[in-house]
């Protein structure tokens, strides 16, 4: 008979033997555990090895550069959406000096900036913006270039805004810079200013398909008589400028993929509007460009060709109450006639529109009213002609006094 030891309670009961499969599984777990512990130890050693490098001045500087580059890209994106806010962000984060020369160089040399945003920023009238404009124009070298060549160079670096006062300031700065680079070509900056506008208007008249009456060389020479402080400019010079524009129109740099050349140069207004269909009465979002007394609309901002053109000749615009959409406006013919417009069908064929009127819807009351004002202004007058008229009158008064 087995004798039970008094201290058997110290030993407890013997563990039962595990089945072979479970025993092997347990051993596998132990092996993985030791491997993981070994890997953890190796990682600790590697971390301890690289920590001095991470905290080194070189690595800290590299990390600062990464953060700086990210902020700079964010600032450029902000600039393209709102130029003032973008510049403010870059200055606030010490990425740009709030000095006219620094800002001008940023606008002139930095890639990826929206040309429309550059034009809007340069066109502002407060003192700092005027200094930036002067510095920006000063970065252009116009020496030994004729006026058309200089305008091509100048208008490639930004996009002229639509407001007459902004255009006036920017073209005044251009004329001053051109005369400084080419002394003796013109008797005054007024001459350069007037002729520059005449060239821009000539470009539009010659290359806009909606302008039927194309100006001849004789008319171009005639309209620029007496602008050189009362004297005529050399016919040879005007002939050369006319031939240059006739053979090659101004080309405007692309913005976000847009090929904004010829007709879409210097629009009065552009933006998204909802348009009511003619045959199918549904609202569709379209990108509209208002220029040269015509309203062009596109499916996307990146489209090079419009899907519809609405000549504004003999049309009127008014507010419209519509139960389906707020902030509506309507283009209509006061005589009740069908509007002479055209559009592109799916297969690319151009057909005449069948609208008695065009119903459009803006995003807000303010935006609707701005479109109405811009359309009315586009129908009635051209700011270029107003600016040239005022400057010509100034030249005449100065010569008569």
């Amino acid at each position: 008979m087995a004798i039970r030891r008094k201290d058997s309670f110290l030993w407890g009961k013997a563990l039962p033997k595990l089945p072979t499969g479970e025993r092997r599984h347990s051993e596998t777990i132990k092996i993985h555990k030791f491997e993981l512990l070994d890997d953890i130890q190796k990682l600790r050693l590697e971390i301890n090895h690289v920590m001095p490098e991470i905290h080194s001045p070189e690595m800290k500087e590299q990390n600062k550069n990464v953060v700086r580059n990210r902020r700079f890209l964010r600032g450029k994106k902000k600039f393209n959406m709102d130029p003032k806010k973008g510049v403010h962000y870059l200055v606030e984060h010490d990425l740009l000096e709030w000095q006219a020369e620094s800002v001008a160089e940023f606008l002139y040399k930095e890639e990826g900036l929206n040309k429309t945003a550059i034009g809007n920023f340069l066109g502002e009238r407060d003192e700092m913006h005027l200094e930036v404009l002067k510095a920006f124009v000063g970065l252009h070298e116009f020496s030994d270039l004729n006026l058309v060549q200089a305008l091509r160079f100048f208008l490639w670096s930004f996009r002229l805004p639509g407001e007459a006062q902004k255009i006036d300031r920017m073209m005044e700065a251009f004329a001053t810079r051109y005369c400084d680079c080419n002394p003796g070509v013109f008797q005054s900056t007024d001459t350069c200013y007037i002729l520059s506008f005449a060239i821009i208007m000539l470009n539009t008249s010659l290359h806009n398909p909606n302008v039927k009456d194309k100006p001849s060389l004789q008319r171009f020479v005639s309209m620029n008589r007496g602008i050189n402080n009362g004297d005529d400019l050399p016919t040879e010079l005007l002939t050369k400028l006319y031939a240059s524009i006739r053979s090659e129109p101004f080309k405007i740099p692309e913005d976000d993929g847009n090929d904004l050349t010829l007709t879409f140069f210097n629009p009065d207004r552009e933006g998204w509007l909802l348009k009511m269909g003619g045959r199918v009465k549904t609202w569709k979002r379209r990108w509209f460009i208002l220029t040269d007394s015509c309203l062009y609309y596109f499916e996307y901002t990146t489209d090079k060709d419009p899907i519809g053109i609405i000549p504004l000749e003999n049309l009127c615009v008014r507010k419209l109450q519509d139960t389906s959409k707020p902030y509506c406006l309507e283009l209509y013919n006061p005589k009740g006639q069908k509007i002479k417009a055209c559009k592109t069908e799916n297969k690319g064929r151009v057909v005449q529109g069948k609208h008695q009127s065009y119903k459009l819807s803006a995003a807000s009351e303010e935006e609707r009213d701005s479109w109405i004002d811009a359309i009315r202004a586009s129908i009635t007058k051209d700011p270029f002609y107003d600016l040239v008229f005022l400057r010509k009158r100034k030249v005449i008064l100065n010569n008569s006094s």
Side-chain angles (χ1 to χ4, degrees):
M1 183 175 176
I3 301 173
R4 184 178 181 183
R5 291 182 55 177
K6 293 181 180 180
D7 59 352
S8 60
F9 68 93
L10 296 173
W11 302 94
K13 293 182 179 180
L15 293 172
K17 290 185 178 181
L18 295 172
T20 304
E22 292 186 15
R23 191 164 57 250
R24 287 176 181 171
H25 183 65
S26 177
E27 290 173 354
T28 301
I29 291 174
K30 288 180 181 179
I31 291 171
H32 284 313
K33 176 182 177 182
F34 287 124
E35 288 177 349
L36 285 171
L37 290 172
D38 186 52
D39 289 341
I40 290 170
Q41 184 61 27
K42 287 179 180 178
L43 284 172
R44 283 176 178 167
L45 292 173
E46 289 180 11
I47 290 171
N48 290 335
H49 179 71
V50 301
M51 281 303 287
E53 294 182 14
I54 293 175
H55 293 293
S56 67
E58 293 81 6
M59 185 61 69
K60 286 182 179 179
E61 187 63 30
Q62 185 176 340
N63 291 336
K64 284 183 180 179
N65 289 336
V66 170
V67 173
R68 178 184 177 86
N69 290 338
R70 286 177 181 172
R71 286 179 175 172
F72 191 71
L73 287 174
R74 189 178 296 122
K76 286 169 63 174
K77 289 180 180 179
K78 286 180 178 289
F79 177 88
N80 289 340
M81 292 186 289
D82 187 320
K84 284 186 177 180
K85 289 182 179 179
V87 170
H88 177 75
Y89 176 89
L90 292 169
V91 171
E92 188 178 38
H93 289 85
D94 296 325
L95 300 170
L96 182 66
E97 291 184 33
W98 186 233
Q99 301 291 333
E101 292 75 14
S102 299
V103 177
E105 191 167 339
F106 167 75
L107 299 177
Y108 183 69
K109 295 182 178 180
E110 188 59 41
E111 295 182 0
L113 296 183
N114 184 285
K115 301 297 183 181
T116 301
I118 295 174
N120 287 333
F121 187 87
L122 291 172
E124 296 296 331
R125 64 179 180 180
D126 56 51
E127 189 63 34
M128 181 59 178
H129 284 79
L130 293 175
E131 291 180 15
V132 172
L133 173 61
K134 183 178 178 180
F136 178 84
V137 177
L139 293 171
H140 296 73
E141 182 51 63
F142 298 137
S143 298
D144 300 322
L145 298 179
N146 68 37
L147 193 56
V148 169
Q149 292 171 331
L151 280 170
R152 292 189 196 280
F153 180 25
F154 183 57
L155 297 175
W156 186 256
S157 58
F158 69 101
R159 187 172 166 200
L160 274 174
E163 295 88 340
Q165 290 182 345
K166 290 185 177 182
I167 296 171
D168 178 59
R169 287 191 289 272
M170 299 171 86
M171 295 307 295
E172 180 72 53
F174 165 79
T176 301
R177 175 62 176 167
Y178 183 84
C179 291
D180 288 344
C181 292
N182 299 278
V185 174
F186 302 114
Q187 292 189 25
S188 70
T189 57
D190 288 334
T191 305
C192 183
Y193 176 99
I194 294 169
L195 186 56
S196 296
F197 272 113
I199 290 169
I200 291 174
M201 291 187 289
L202 175 68
N203 177 80
T204 301
S205 299
L206 288 177
H207 299 288
N208 186 338
N210 294 298
V211 177
K212 305 302 180 185
D213 185 18
K214 305 295 184 184
S216 64
L217 171 61
Q218 289 73 23
R219 195 199 302 179
F220 180 69
V221 172
S222 177
M223 69 181 288
N224 289 294
R225 284 189 179 134
I227 66 171
N228 198 24
N229 278 3
D231 297 331
D232 292 343
L233 289 166
T235 303
E236 182 183 357
L237 170 65
L238 295 177
T239 302
K240 187 175 182 180
L241 298 179
Y242 180 92
S244 179
I245 287 296
R246 185 171 184 176
S247 62
E248 184 183 356
F250 284 129
K251 292 182 179 178
I252 308 304
E254 295 185 356
D255 254 351
D256 302 327
N258 289 330
D259 186 16
L260 297 170
T261 59
L262 305 180
T263 302
F264 312 126
F265 170 65
N266 185 43
D268 300 318
R269 188 175 175 84
E270 60 185 341
W272 290 105
L273 290 170
L274 294 176
K275 173 185 166 293
M276 172 66 80
R279 185 168 52 86
V280 181
K281 300 299 181 181
T282 56
W283 293 97
K284 291 185 178 179
R285 191 169 183 253
R286 295 289 183 249
W287 178 257
F288 280 83
I289 291 181
L290 173 65
T291 184
D292 297 325
S293 296
C294 279
L295 200 55
Y296 302 83
Y297 57 93
F298 304 74
E299 188 171 1
Y300 306 106
T301 59
T302 52
D303 291 346
K304 293 184 178 181
D305 299 312
I307 57 176
I309 304 173
I310 309 171
L312 299 176
E313 185 180 3
N314 300 323
L315 296 188
C316 295
V317 62
R318 62 190 174 193
K319 297 178 184 178
L320 179 69
Q321 297 295 329
D322 191 287
T323 54
S324 62
K325 291 289 180 184
Y327 317 124
C328 290
L329 59 142
E330 182 183 37
L331 291 167
Y332 67 98
N333 189 314
K335 296 181 179 180
Q337 299 172 351
K338 189 180 294 183
I339 295 175
K340 296 178 181 179
C342 64
K343 65 177 182 178
T344 306
E345 290 188 330
N346 293 334
K347 295 182 180 180
R349 189 166 63 97
V350 178
V351 297
Q352 185 172 345
K354 299 178 180 180
H355 285 260
Q356 294 289 347
S357 67
Y358 281 87
K359 294 180 180 179
L360 309 173
S361 176
S364 66
E365 181 180 3
E366 181 183 2
E367 191 172 330
R368 178 201 60 194
D369 293 346
S370 295
W371 271 106
I372 290 175
D373 291 342
I375 291 170
R376 284 176 178 163
S378 179
I379 294 171
T380 56
K381 64 179 182 179
D382 186 333
F384 280 0
Y385 285 98
D386 289 343
L387 292 171
V388 172
F389 173 77
L390 292 172
R391 191 55 63 98
K392 280 186 175 180
R393 188 171 67 176
K394 173 186 172 184
V395 171
I396 293 169
L397 291 173
N398 287 342
N399 289 326
S400 62
S401 59

